Amino acid sequence: MSSAASEADLSEGERAGLELIRESGGIHQSDFWKELDVSSRKGSRIVESLFEKDLIQREETVYEGHNTYYLTPAARDLDFSLLMAGDQLSPFIGDEEVDPHDDTFSQWVMTLAYED
C-alpha cells in the first residue's frame, strides 16, 4: 500500500501524530503522547499504527533514564519525474538560490526543443 493510500485512512489522532512527527523531524515517544495530550496507552497505539503503515520509523533509545523509542518520519515516495524533461535533469537541481534574471532555464528549454 502506498503511503498516500494509507494516509487517507488515518484517524484524527493518527493524522495529528503523523503531523507532529513530521513537523518536529523526530520526537521521543515519551514526549509524543504528552504533546498530543493523550494517554501513554493511546499514544502507543497511534505509534504502532503509524509504524505498521510504514509512515514512521522508530528506534529504541534511552531518554531521561528510561527506555523509549525515537520516532522519525519515514521517507515518502518521491516522484523524480517532476525534475526531468525527457531524459535530462533540470539545471536548477541543488541550487540554493536561482537568479530570476539568469537565462539558464530558457537555454535549457531551447536545447530540449531543438533536440527533437
Side-chain angles (χ1 to χ4, degrees):
M1 180 182 296
S2 74
S3 63
S6 59
E7 284 186 46
D9 299 331
L10 295 179
S11 69
E12 185 178 322
E14 292 168 335
R15 197 175 311 279
L18 181 58
E19 184 177 329
L20 173 62
I21 294 168
R22 285 181 174 163
E23 285 179 359
S24 67
I27 188 170
H28 289 96
Q29 186 166 328
S30 54
D31 291 335
F32 173 80
W33 59 271
K34 293 173 190 172
E35 288 288 325
L36 286 180
D37 195 27
V38 297
S39 69
S40 62
R41 184 176 184 173
K42 183 170 182 173
S44 294
R45 288 182 179 157
I46 291 171
V47 167
E48 185 65 31
S49 177
L50 294 174
F51 181 73
E52 287 176 357
K53 293 176 182 176
D54 292 325
L55 295 171
I56 65 168
Q57 297 174 336
R58 63 183 182 187
E59 180 181 332
E60 288 184 40
T61 188
V62 176
Y63 177 62
E64 296 181 350
H66 300 284
N67 292 335
T68 188
Y69 287 104
Y70 188 69
L71 312 172
T72 56
R76 298 188 204 178
D77 297 335
L78 301 176
D79 184 2
F80 291 104
S81 67
L82 299 174
L83 305 175
M84 304 293 291
D87 62 350
Q88 293 197 17
L89 192 62
S90 167
F92 298 113
I93 303 304
D95 287 353
E96 292 289 323
E97 293 184 30
V98 176
D99 180 0
H101 303 290
D102 188 3
D103 65 348
T104 303
F105 185 74
S106 298
Q107 290 176 5
W108 180 67
V109 170
M110 293 303 287
T111 302
L112 293 173
Y114 287 119
E115 282 182 358
D116 292 336

